[in-house]
Amino acid sequence: MDTILQDTRLKAEQILKMWKWMAFSAGCNVFYKTKSFHPLTLLNFLFGISAATGCYGQLIFLWNHRHEPFDVYIEAILIFFQIFISIIKLLMFTFKQHEIFDAVQYVQNADIFIDLEIFELNLINSSEILKDINEILNKSWSTIKFQFRFFTCCVVAIIIGYMGQNLAANINNFKNKSQHFHLEYVFPASFTPNVSDPIKSPLFQILEYFIVLSEVHCTGFCAIAFTGLFTLISNHCLASLKVLRVLISYSTTYHVFREDRIKYMQVCIKFQQKIYEFCSKLNSLYRMPTLSMFLVSCLVICLLTFHANTMGNDVSAIIKVVLYIFGAYYEVGIFCFIGQLIASESEMLPVVIYECRWYKESAQFKDLVKFMIQRSNLPILLNVGGFATLSFVTFIMICRSSISYYLFLLECM
């Protein structure tokens, strides 16, 4: 088992290396444990001020164009909501820093499998059990790697779409050598409430431009850090439940001597308790942030769908919006998908326990089986702010709500 855990740690370190740097750049430190105040806290504070200033810029732009058609300022509304949810993620990174660090270290070091007393027993052909555990862990880390890279590519593609188009526009303005210095912003924003103000100085425009650039960084990398952290912890919870199910299936086979089966089941019960405690930590960490994320995502998907219908034949803008919609759906979908898998896996535990040949065992073994079944009857459900659970039903509900809002908006316009 020690060899498997060592290989798992090396694989985890390699997979998490790039994500850790991205999370660090968004104010989420998973490299080392910090004290109550740390320079990264100041970075989060600066990100928060910049994001709040960016929200102000979107609101002013919205106010200045309030009498114009809706499609003129719809992107400003979209960016406002995205920055708002990024601020909530920054608050989580700031005030839950120790919990996040402990959770990442717990997963990376596979601490849940340390001191697994099952392999201290005199098992027959324990290599078969170890092979199944190793296969589950390898598959879990492969899934984590794929989900990390896929979501990161989506977010980076959206950022490149915004930045590339903006850079091309500014280079074109510079080449034309217009009479007045003018920078096109990445996002629609206006930092002065009067549209008839005189031309701003170059220094003031550069300052505003960097504020808007920080919004791009904040929204993109906060999303990667937030979703990546959930992907890491939740997939580890899922893998642990699968390992528990495998261990229980071996409890009454020839691999375990009859006199050791009571001790074997007691170890399984301890392992089950560790899994439930870890899933509870995941639930407490993401309970409230997921609620705000889901509410905002519902509105964002609705507005993006409406925006896609009003942009005409602009190919670059269509590609950008399609990537945006796909990223929004994926972020919500991956939370619901993994939450559903965890719930389904935990629902299978009582069945697996009951299917082992408990009826041929001692009365004490039967009591342990009853205890485990009673404990497993309530599935592990990841909560969304006390209003819903992470499941396929919630995902369908979000899709339906987004479509309903879109149709209502289309009817009003």
Side-chain angles (χ1 to χ4, degrees), residues 181-251:
F181 181 84
H182 178 65
L183 275 174
E184 294 284 346
Y185 297 143
V186 181
F187 297 144
S190 180
F191 295 90
T192 53
N194 190 353
V195 293
S196 61
D197 282 347
I199 300 298
K200 301 173 188 176
S201 67
L203 182 63
F204 194 74
Q205 286 191 56
I206 291 172
L207 178 63
E208 291 179 346
Y209 187 74
F210 274 103
I211 290 174
V212 177
L213 279 182
S214 69
E215 293 178 66
V216 178
H217 176 272
C218 188
T219 52
F221 284 85
C222 278
I224 291 172
F226 183 80
T227 306
L229 180 65
F230 178 83
T231 300
L232 176 67
I233 302 175
S234 58
N235 274 293
H236 191 67
C237 289
L238 182 61
S240 302
L241 285 168
K242 289 180 179 179
V243 169
L244 176 61
R245 180 160 55 87
V246 167
L247 293 177
I248 292 171
S249 67
Y250 280 106
S251 61

Side-chain angles (χ1 to χ4, degrees), residues 360-374:
K360 293 184 178 180
E361 304 300 325
S362 63
Q364 189 177 357
F365 187 92
K366 292 175 183 177
D367 289 338
L368 292 174
V369 168
K370 288 178 185 177
F371 177 76
M372 287 195 77
I373 290 176
Q374 288 176 347

Side-chain angles (χ1 to χ4, degrees), residues 275-316:
I275 294 171
Y276 281 19
E277 287 174 359
F278 188 58
C279 290
S280 178
K281 289 179 182 178
L282 171 63
N283 208 1
S284 63
L285 186 64
Y286 272 90
R287 181 179 179 180
M288 296 311 298
T290 49
L291 175 62
S292 55
M293 186 193 77
F294 277 31
L295 291 174
V296 169
S297 296
C298 190
L299 293 171
V300 165
I301 292 169
C302 161
L303 292 172
L304 281 170
T305 308
F306 183 83
H307 188 38
N309 285 338
T310 59
M311 54 190 2
N313 297 323
D314 189 349
V315 177
S316 62

Side-chain angles (χ1 to χ4, degrees), residues 75 78-83 154 158 162 187 219 300-301 304 307 318-330:
E75 193 171 4
L78 282 167
I79 300 305
F80 172 82
F81 281 127
Q82 283 297 111
I83 299 171
C154 287
I158 295 169
Y162 274 99
F187 297 144
T219 52
V300 165
I301 292 169
L304 281 170
H307 188 38
I318 291 173
I319 292 174
K320 186 170 64 175
V321 169
V322 168
L323 286 171
Y324 205 156
I325 292 174
F326 190 75
Y329 267 117
Y330 181 82

